[in-house]
Amino acid sequence: MHPPSRFNFIDNLRCFALLLGIVFHAALAYSPYFHNIWLSADSSKAVIFDGLTHWLHLFRMPVFFVIAGFCSALIITKKGAATFIKQRLKRILLPFLVFLPLVIASFIHVLSWGADIATPLPPIYAAFNAMTEPQISTAHLWFLWILIQLCLLHWSVYHISGSLHKRLNCTVNMAIYPLILMACCFVTLLAQPTPFPAPDKLLPQLWALTFYGAFYLFGIILFHNPALFKRAHSAILPLSLTAILSLTAYLVYLPEAPTLQQVIAAAKQGAFTPSGIQHMQVVAIQAVAIVSWTTLILLLGYRFFNQKNNICRYLSDASYWVYLIHVPVLLYIQMPLINTALPAIVKLIISVVGTLSISLLTYHFAVKHTVIGRLLTGNHKNIKKQRDVHT
């Protein structure tokens, strides 16, 4: 039995996660909790953005990695492991190598420009000045860097054991998968601060490969066991209750926001160093919240958004380009806004609408039908015959 040529809920979920990603990065500037950490932190703040950013941080990237694993399994099933790894190297590694220097250059420029025009200056600049040996960061492109490593592992395992999909194609109680994911999240995040950081270091990080790799593997399992979606419909209500309760507990027991002194110390050391029983408790709650919200979003997407939607399809096609450029564009918009007395919610709306508009307009008129567009989304001449998902 051949898989469907298009999974509409994957397009719609990617579109949903993309939009939430822009909202997440924009809201960081107006969150009191992240005021000492974020690059364009604004003196206009509102506590509501603390809840919004913490909530989005829990499930947004895990959902992306589930989608990535699902689509990787789809490509291997349709075209084989050799074609899969060639496409992944072309569609993930090559854009990473091309765009990373451009992204780093844009960050250097916007932060230098921001230092000249922003009043007051975001607190994170004090940490920048304290760094004696700055490390090379992959910025928000860390997703591509982790993903290509997971794809290479996926290809290697499949190359050694071509029957991998048969081993994953088993009928198991749906409850066991979230439990395994929760255990994996707890173990891998135990040595990380809460909220868990972006793994933006250039050197491979075992905790990040294991943490996000578990969700990538979950995506592979879901592809080979589509009945899991249907069997899990009855779990939506208890899963929703678990997600809401765990998020509430997470926000209640979340450690205090790092002070500027702690941020400066972490910048010198290269990382925060969490410890203690309370940290273990928060990590346990965080693990439940991450998995319950990720699973819930996937189930709701499959249940209610598994129909073709031309707008979501277009945004899904544009998502790679938007992902690559949205953070620098957002910073260029938010830096001048620091000098205004507008309410935080107004600044957020300007930031999100402006970033999305610029990203989509540049995609439509300057990228879609160019070499860059073909690199990111495939050959447009054959787009009606085959559309391989890039993440």
Side-chain angles (χ1 to χ4, degrees):
M1 180 177 179
H2 296 287
S5 59
R6 198 76 185 182
F7 291 90
N8 292 310
F9 79 100
I10 292 293
D11 282 330
N12 297 334
L13 279 175
R14 185 186 295 106
C15 171
F16 175 70
L18 168 70
L19 295 176
L20 290 184
I22 296 176
V23 173
F24 169 74
H25 285 121
L28 287 172
Y30 312 110
S31 164
Y33 192 95
F34 293 100
H35 185 70
N36 291 327
I37 300 175
W38 188 238
L39 302 172
S40 55
D42 198 301
S43 56
S44 298
K45 303 186 292 290
V47 176
I48 189 174
F49 296 123
D50 281 347
L52 178 62
T53 51
H54 285 302
W55 174 60
L56 293 177
H57 182 62
L58 289 171
F59 69 85
R60 189 178 58 88
M61 295 313 299
V63 166
F64 265 125
F65 277 98
V66 173
I67 292 174
F70 187 98
C71 294
S72 291
L74 169 63
I75 295 173
I76 288 181
T77 300
K78 291 178 65 176
K79 299 192 174 184
T83 300
F84 161 74
I85 197 61
K86 289 178 182 177
Q87 288 187 354
R88 298 303 87 183
L89 291 173
K90 178 181 178 182
R91 301 279 291 280
I92 300 175
L93 182 60
L94 183 56
F96 174 79
L97 295 176
V98 170
F99 280 92
L100 181 60
L102 300 176
V103 167
I104 292 176
S106 68
F107 269 81
I108 292 173
H109 180 267
V110 72
L111 291 175
S112 175
W113 177 65
D116 293 333
I117 69 165
T119 305
L121 206 60
I124 191 68
Y125 278 81
F128 292 154
N129 295 331
M131 288 184 182
T132 55
E133 297 181 1
Q135 300 182 20
I136 297 177
S137 171
T138 56
H140 62 289
L141 301 191
W142 66 262
F143 170 69
L144 296 181
W145 188 228
I146 296 293
L147 181 56
I148 192 60
Q149 295 173 61
L150 292 176
C151 287
L152 287 170
L153 288 173
H154 185 184
W155 172 78
S156 299
V157 173
Y158 196 95
H159 189 71
I160 295 171
S161 175
S163 61
L164 173 65
H165 67 286
K166 295 180 180 179
R167 299 181 184 182
L168 295 174
N169 190 18
C170 55
T171 303
V172 182
N173 189 320
M174 181 61 188
I176 194 171
Y177 294 116
L179 292 176
I180 293 173
L181 282 174
M182 288 177 190
C184 183
C185 290
F186 176 76
V187 172
T188 54
L189 297 180
L190 201 55
Q192 303 302 316
T194 305
F196 56 93
D200 61 344
K201 303 296 187 295
L202 198 56
L203 292 176
Q205 298 175 75
L206 181 60
W207 78 267
L209 286 174
T210 306
F211 174 65
Y212 290 111
F215 290 98
Y216 180 92
L217 179 60
F218 187 44
I220 298 175
I221 293 173
L222 288 176
F223 174 80
H224 290 297
N225 298 269
L228 289 175
F229 285 107
K230 297 179 180 179
R231 288 161 49 197
H233 282 175
S234 60
I236 289 181
L237 186 58
L239 191 59
S240 299
L241 182 61
T242 302
I244 293 172
L245 291 177
S246 60
L247 174 62
T248 303
Y250 176 72
L251 294 175
V252 169
Y253 292 101
L254 193 68
E256 293 184 0
T259 64
L260 183 57
Q261 290 70 28
Q262 289 174 321
V263 173
I264 293 174
K268 293 179 179 179
Q269 298 170 5
F272 289 97
T273 54
S275 62
I277 299 298
Q278 184 178 0
H279 174 68
M280 294 179 62
Q281 295 172 341
V282 175
V283 171
I285 297 171
Q286 179 182 231
V288 175
I290 290 171
V291 176
S292 58
W293 277 104
T294 300
T295 309
L296 179 61
I297 295 299
L298 291 168
L299 290 179
L300 292 176
Y302 183 82
R303 176 68 176 84
F304 298 106
F305 300 101
N306 202 13
Q307 301 85 28
K308 182 179 179 180
N309 183 296
N310 290 332
I311 295 177
C312 288
R313 177 68 176 271
Y314 181 86
L315 290 175
S316 178
D317 291 341
S319 63
Y320 205 164
W321 172 253
V322 177
Y323 155 73
L324 289 171
I325 72 166
H326 81 277
V327 177
V329 170
L330 178 65
L331 294 177
Y332 277 111
I333 293 173
Q334 288 189 325
M335 285 297 185
L337 287 175
I338 292 176
N339 297 334
T340 70
L342 295 171
I345 185 63
V346 175
K347 291 184 178 183
L348 177 76
I349 293 173
I350 294 173
S351 301
V352 172
V353 173
T355 299
L356 187 60
S357 299
I358 292 173
S359 300
L360 291 179
L361 286 172
T362 53
Y363 169 75
H364 188 83
F365 293 106
V367 172
K368 185 177 180 181
H369 301 292
T370 66
V371 173
I372 297 176
R374 289 193 292 272
L375 174 64
L376 300 181
T377 60
N379 190 339
H380 288 278
K381 293 181 180 179
N382 299 323
I383 202 164
K384 293 183 179 180
K385 296 181 180 179
Q386 63 179 40
R387 297 290 294 272
D388 290 328
V389 187
H390 55 71
T391 58

